[in-house]
Amino acid sequence: MKAGCSIVEKPEGGGGYQFPDWAYKTESSPGSRQIQLWHFILELLQKEEFRHVIAWQQGEYGEFVIKDPDEVARLWGRRKCKPQMNYDKLSRALRYYYNKRILHKTKGKRFTYKFNFNKLVMPNYPFINIRSSVNLYLVTHTHEYIYMAKI
DNA sequence: GACGGAACCA
DNA sequence: TGGTTCCGTC
């Protein structure tokens, strides 16, 4: 009996980071708990055990490098129950983020992307200060997402 | 590798 | 809506 894929796979808390329920909910589909790719990217980014796979680029704020594209794709495929996932497909999904202003490409740098933090911060939350804060709160302007990423 | 159109799916 | 799959093009 294969374990297969569960409908929702909340990351276990085991000494790590607990994501609140609302972090998985969308405005358009309240019942949906499908994790978004950029959520997943941030999730990997904040965990030290994946630093050899994906990591923040020091120096440039919000910029990250995919050090092992195959592994990131494999992990994403496992989460989404898409065993045929690869970097070619994953990167297509990342490219759709360009127009949504969630991400943009760092041209010239291989496997390097950058979060558009300036576009993600919401004016409704004046207590959020990117520069002084260790935890960065990301809020898209299109959805009710709030996310925390340790930078 | 990176890009983006196009068809398709839940 | 947010990808997934496929692919031609640079």
Side-chain angles (χ1 to χ4, degrees):
Chain A
M1 274 138 273
K2 282 187 171 180
C5 286
S6 53
I7 295 159
V8 62
E9 225 178 279
K10 283 194 74 177
E12 317 88 65
Y17 201 95
Q18 202 69 37
F19 296 98
D21 278 356
W22 43 257
Y24 288 84
K25 289 176 184 169
T26 75
E27 195 180 321
S28 52
S29 47
S32 172
R33 292 192 164 205
Q34 286 253 57
I35 189 162
Q36 312 252 141
L37 179 54
W38 65 277
H39 280 187
F40 183 74
I41 295 290
L42 286 173
E43 187 184 314
L44 294 182
L45 239 20
Q46 72 169 358
K47 294 184 178 179
E48 297 233 349
E49 65 246 54
F50 294 111
R51 276 205 333 211
H52 62 290
V53 171
I54 186 171
W56 292 113
Q57 181 84 281
Q58 54 175 331
E60 276 299 315
Y61 218 85
E63 194 174 276
F64 63 94
V65 186
I66 298 173
K67 296 178 179 177
D68 189 342
D70 293 339
E71 181 64 3
V72 173
R74 197 187 62 79
L75 291 165
W76 174 235
R78 197 177 64 177
R79 176 66 65 89
K80 285 288 294 289
C81 308
K82 299 285 180 184
Q84 309 309 312
M85 184 52 59
N86 57 34
Y87 180 69
D88 181 55
K89 295 170 187 172
L90 186 149
S91 62
R92 183 69 190 93
L94 290 178
R95 264 174 257 133
Y96 273 126
Y97 285 152
Y98 299 169
N99 285 336
K100 293 178 183 174
R101 296 149 146 204
I102 293 172
L103 280 185
H104 66 81
K105 189 77 181 68
T106 303
K107 290 178 182 176
K109 291 184 183 177
R110 237 167 138 231
F111 309 125
T112 304
Y113 301 81
K114 189 173 179 177
F115 279 98
N116 289 333
F117 285 157
N118 51 330
K119 296 288 182 185
L120 291 170
V121 172
M122 225 177 189
N124 303 33
Y125 294 81
F127 56 87
I128 295 168
N129 186 334
I130 286 181
R131 288 173 188 174
S132 64
S133 164
V134 177
N135 289 316
L136 179 69
Y137 291 72
L138 305 178
V139 184
T140 73
H141 47 137
T142 49
H143 298 291
E144 293 289 320
Y145 287 126
I146 302 176
Y147 218 84
M148 289 172 268
K150 209 171 184 182
I151 308 280

